[in-house]
Each structure stands twice: as C-alpha cells, then as structure tokens.
C-alpha cells in the first residue's frame, strides 16, 4: 500500500514541546547539520495568515489547523522536513518518521519564559503544561509509540548532544 513513509527519500521529523524548551534553537542547528528544511509553524501561520484572528486571552493567533495542513502537504510528501511546533495532534500521522518531545526542568523553563516576558496565566499555563507532560502525552496519543522520543533540553550540552544524535538518526534513515 501507500501508507507509511514509502514514497519519501528523506525522513520528516517533528520537534514538539512546551514553549521555551528549545525547539527553535534545536531545529535551526539540526536543519543545518542534517540538511533538513526547518518549518516553524508559528512563523508560517503569521506569514501566510493561516489563522482565524487573535485570541486575547491566550495572547496568540487562533491557528487554522486545516489551512496549515493544506499548506504543508506537498512538501511533507517530498520529505526532508523538520517541523517545529508546540502541538502535534492535528498533523496527519503518516507525515512523520520521528517525533521528538523536548523537556526542560521546571525552574529552568520558568527562568527562560520569564526572560521572554511571559507572566501571569500565560507563564503558569506553560509551566503546568511542562509539569504534567502534556506534549509527551499528546505525542503518544497521536503517533506510534516507537517513533516518539522524549529528549532533555536543560542546557547547551543537551542541545549539542541532541543535535548529534538526531543528525546521525537522519543520515542513517532509509525508506521502508
Ligand atoms: P521554543 O522554540 O521551544 O519556544 P527556543 O529555542 O526559542 O524555544 O528557546 C527559548 C530560549 O531558551 C532561547 O533564549 C534559547 O536560547 C534558550 N534555550 C532553549 N533551550 C536551551 C537549552 N537546552 N540550554 C540553554 N538555553 C536554551
Ligand atoms: Mn520556537
């Protein structure tokens, strides 16, 4: 059949995790090291207006998941895409060969989000999201367990180790 990854020459990787866990930093380095195309969904949504307006309470765009998936379909079919987003349950399961969930120790994440200007409920919501491992659970509910890989992202050593591990994985990947 045509399921799975059989038509791609290179793998697609999703990097998810609570805001501040280091997705964009990791993806920029990994895209460079492994020759993947980095697609930051937040940026794409803003650039192409793939949203239904601004949510004042959550202070973010209300992402239009159908528009985002339509926009990405052709490139995902080609392969070699590195998707960067703090959510993972609305992408087609068949798109990804590996799903990374970055995780950060709570006090470290708290400092990162504070320096980014987060406060009040936006700050506590994100901290709780990390404490309760919301993204790990969402990934495990949305993808086959054996392609979901949690990785620690507390410090710069973690980032270099993760980038090394993942670029090796990408380079050793073969179509099924
Ligand atoms: P995300 O894309 O997940 O929101 P970013 O990559 O934008 O996270 O990182 C948020 C901030 O935290 C940046 O200033 C980044 O330099 C820092 N940071 C992220 N991950 C790490 C890490 N593992 N070690 C040290 N600093 C990090
Ligand atoms: Mn980011």
């Amino acid at each position: 059949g045509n399921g799975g990854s059989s038509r791609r020459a290179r793998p697609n990787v999703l990097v998810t995790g609570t805001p501040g866990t280091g997705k964009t930093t990791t993806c920029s380095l990994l895209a460079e090291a492994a020759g993947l195309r980095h697609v930051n969904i937040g940026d794409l949504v803003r650039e192409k207006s793939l949203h239904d307006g601004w949510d004042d309470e959550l202070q973010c765009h209300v992402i239009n998941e159908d528009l985002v998936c339509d926009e990405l379909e052709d490139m995902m079919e080609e392969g070699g895409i590195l998707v960067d987003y703090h959510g993972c349950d609305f992408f087609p399961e068949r798109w990804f060969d590996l799903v990374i969930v970055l995780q950060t120790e709570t006090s470290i994440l708290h400092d990162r989000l504070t320096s980014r200007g987060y406060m009040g409920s936006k700050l506590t919501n994100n901290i709780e999201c990390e404490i309760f491992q919301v993204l790990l659970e969402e990934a495990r509910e949305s993808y086959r367990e054996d392609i979901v890989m949690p990785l620690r992202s507390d410090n710069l050593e973690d980032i270099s180790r993760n980038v090394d591990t993942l670029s090796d994985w990408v380079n050793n990947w073969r179509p099924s």
Side-chain angles (χ1 to χ4, degrees):
N2 227 347
S5 57
S6 54
R7 286 187 297 172
R8 292 194 278 276
R10 306 208 69 210
N12 292 322
V13 177
L14 172 62
V15 176
T16 190
T18 307
T21 51
K23 297 181 295 297
T24 301
T25 310
T26 303
C27 286
S28 301
L29 294 167
L30 178 59
E32 184 74 31
L36 298 175
R37 175 167 169 190
H38 178 189
V39 177
N40 183 323
I41 299 295
D43 291 348
L44 185 78
V45 164
R46 278 185 295 275
E47 281 158 18
K48 306 228 164 181
S49 293
L50 309 176
H51 58 76
D52 303 315
W54 181 257
D55 185 321
D56 250 344
E57 197 173 313
L58 294 177
Q59 291 170 39
C60 60
H61 283 114
V62 184
I63 181 175
N64 185 314
E65 298 172 347
D66 293 335
L67 289 181
V68 169
C69 290
D70 287 349
E71 181 71 31
L72 294 176
E73 181 66 51
D74 289 350
M75 68 171 101
M76 297 309 292
E77 205 160 301
E78 288 286 309
I81 307 297
L82 182 57
V83 172
D84 167 354
Y85 194 58
H86 58 261
C88 64
D89 60 358
F90 63 91
F91 302 117
E93 189 180 356
R94 64 188 156 77
W95 276 1
F96 296 106
D97 303 290
L98 182 64
V99 176
I100 299 301
V101 183
L102 294 181
Q103 300 191 298
T104 300
E105 204 267 314
T106 311
S107 65
I108 297 174
L109 184 66
H110 186 277
D111 291 349
R112 283 188 204 154
L113 292 176
T114 315
S115 11
R116 205 186 240 188
Y118 285 27
M119 47 192 160
S121 62
K122 189 165 184 170
L123 177 61
T124 45
N125 287 344
N126 281 300
I127 294 296
E128 283 176 8
C129 176
E130 187 62 8
I131 291 172
F132 295 112
Q133 301 196 307
V134 171
L135 267 308
L136 182 59
E137 191 156 319
E138 185 175 318
R140 286 187 168 148
E141 281 169 3
S142 308
Y143 300 93
R144 281 200 345 252
E145 187 124 16
D146 60 307
I147 73 160
V148 176
M149 187 193 291
L151 288 177
R152 190 127 293 276
S153 177
D154 288 343
N155 51 51
L156 296 176
E157 270 180 75
D158 290 338
I159 292 205
S160 4
R161 196 190 51 249
N162 292 341
V163 169
D164 285 350
T165 307
L166 294 171
S167 47
D168 284 349
W169 184 92
V170 168
N171 289 324
N172 289 321
W173 184 87
R174 294 291 175 270
S176 54

